[in-house]
Amino acid sequence: VDYDEVLHDQYHIEVKSYPWYRKADLFCSRDRTFCSNAPVRPHALGNKAQFLGMYIRYAKGKGKLAEKYNGHRHPSEALMLSKALRPHPDLQSILNQIQTKYALDDGNYMAIHARVEPDMQKHPVCKDKKVLNLTDIVDMIYQQWPEPPVAKVFLPVNRQLLEKEPKKNSMAKHNLQVMNDLRDNGMWKGQVQVVEFGAAVLQNTTFAKKSSTAGAMLNFFLATESKIFVGTEVSSYSHDVLAVRFFRNQRGPGENFKYLPEGLQDWNSPSEEDPPGFAC
């Protein structure tokens, strides 16, 4: 969140640590010299681990908020994901330019969220659902579709993480080589071009200073608009893309897939009332 001197009048930008925190029903200064029962501006409602845990429970149909709606998603979330969630107009303009330049504006492309970066190698949870070799994921796609089902493939993988990884990480080195080959030679024997974007396309724009976050957002919205989405259960990013597609009625047979060690599987069906909840 950007600092706003009007909205955040009790925050001093030169102070590095966060100045206010919650203590029961009180709002206290970080140095513990002052507490008030009136909300301060700004204040922390909790930490990211708490909120992530609460959301995971809610998305799985558990917890107080989910119980209020009989285990279903809150109507306001469904409304936000189906209609309100959209890029900032400036980012939308860049998105439109990319779609036009690479002929993605007709939606006839596949988004493959291959979560094979080095940090996922180290991630200790849901190991039985991981596929860390990009070649295996590509082979699953060829097995599912012997002939191209789309005109283009969009591959949102964090290239920078792979490039920065020490060469002794043989899996990261292999995945980077596969990425380069896909980018240079395409898929289905060169019939389908593979494209990637992210932070690099935001240079010399208003988003250059926060290119990593804005780039992830750009990739996110491109993935939500694809004809076919292929993701993974071990990624909250994949789940968020799936949830948006679900509430925008992009949930028919053959529209969303998850890759698992045993192969590709349909990720949802039209009869489901809610998108699957993230559990990893």
Side-chain angles (χ1 to χ4, degrees), residues 35-280:
C35 286
S36 170
N37 58 5
V40 292
R41 301 171 298 277
H43 61 269
L45 296 173
N47 62 52
K48 62 181 181 181
Q50 290 174 312
F51 286 128
L52 178 60
M54 291 167 61
Y55 183 78
I56 288 174
R57 283 180 55 78
Y58 155 73
K60 292 166 66 176
K62 301 177 181 179
K64 292 182 179 180
L65 189 59
E67 290 170 0
K68 185 177 180 180
Y69 291 93
N70 297 317
H72 297 304
R73 296 292 182 100
H74 195 288
S76 63
E77 183 189 23
L79 181 62
M80 285 188 289
L81 296 184
S82 65
K83 296 181 179 180
L85 184 64
R86 62 176 71 91
H88 183 280
D90 291 345
L91 192 62
Q92 181 68 58
S93 177
I94 297 172
L95 179 64
N96 294 343
Q97 293 171 27
I98 289 173
Q99 289 176 313
T100 301
K101 180 178 179 180
Y102 292 93
L104 302 175
D105 43 2
D106 61 354
N108 189 22
Y109 61 95
M110 177 189 298
I112 306 172
H113 184 220
R115 193 65 171 87
V116 296
E117 296 89 345
D119 61 323
M120 184 53 70
Q121 290 180 251
K122 303 166 188 174
H123 190 261
V125 183
C126 296
K127 292 183 179 180
D128 60 325
K129 296 181 178 181
K130 288 184 181 181
V131 180
L132 297 174
N133 189 323
L134 184 53
T135 299
D136 292 339
I137 298 170
V138 173
D139 287 345
M140 292 177 196
I141 290 170
Y142 287 147
Q143 185 174 3
Q144 180 73 28
W145 296 281
E147 296 298 324
V150 291
K152 298 283 177 73
V153 167
F154 167 49
L155 189 64
V157 177
N158 194 323
R159 170 178 289 276
Q160 288 74 26
L161 285 181
L162 290 171
E163 290 176 337
K164 291 178 181 178
E165 188 70 6
K167 292 182 179 180
K168 64 181 180 180
N169 186 333
S170 59
M171 182 60 72
K173 181 180 179 181
H174 168 78
N175 287 333
L176 182 60
Q177 291 173 339
V178 175
M179 269 192 75
N180 290 337
D181 180 69
L182 293 171
R183 179 197 61 193
D184 297 339
N185 301 307
M187 293 181 66
W188 288 278
K189 298 181 180 180
Q191 296 181 70
V192 175
Q193 181 185 9
V194 176
V195 294
E196 55 178 297
F197 306 110
V201 300
L202 298 171
Q203 294 179 4
N204 303 317
T205 72
T206 55
F207 300 98
K209 290 184 178 180
K210 299 179 181 178
S211 59
S212 179
T213 301
M217 293 170 62
L218 191 73
N219 286 345
F220 178 88
F221 285 107
L222 279 167
T224 63
E225 296 182 15
S226 61
K227 177 182 177 181
I228 300 172
F229 174 64
V230 179
T232 170
E233 285 186 300
V234 301
S235 167
S236 59
Y237 187 96
S238 280
H239 272 274
D240 289 342
V241 171
L242 183 70
V244 170
R245 291 172 62 83
F246 182 94
F247 288 115
R248 295 182 182 181
N249 294 318
Q250 294 168 282
R251 48 178 162 146
E255 289 190 276
N256 301 295
F257 292 83
K258 57 185 176 182
Y259 60 80
L260 294 163
E262 55 268 29
L264 287 188
Q265 295 182 9
D266 269 299
W267 205 343
N268 54 29
S269 67
S271 61
E272 290 177 333
E273 295 185 55
D274 296 285
F278 177 64
C280 291

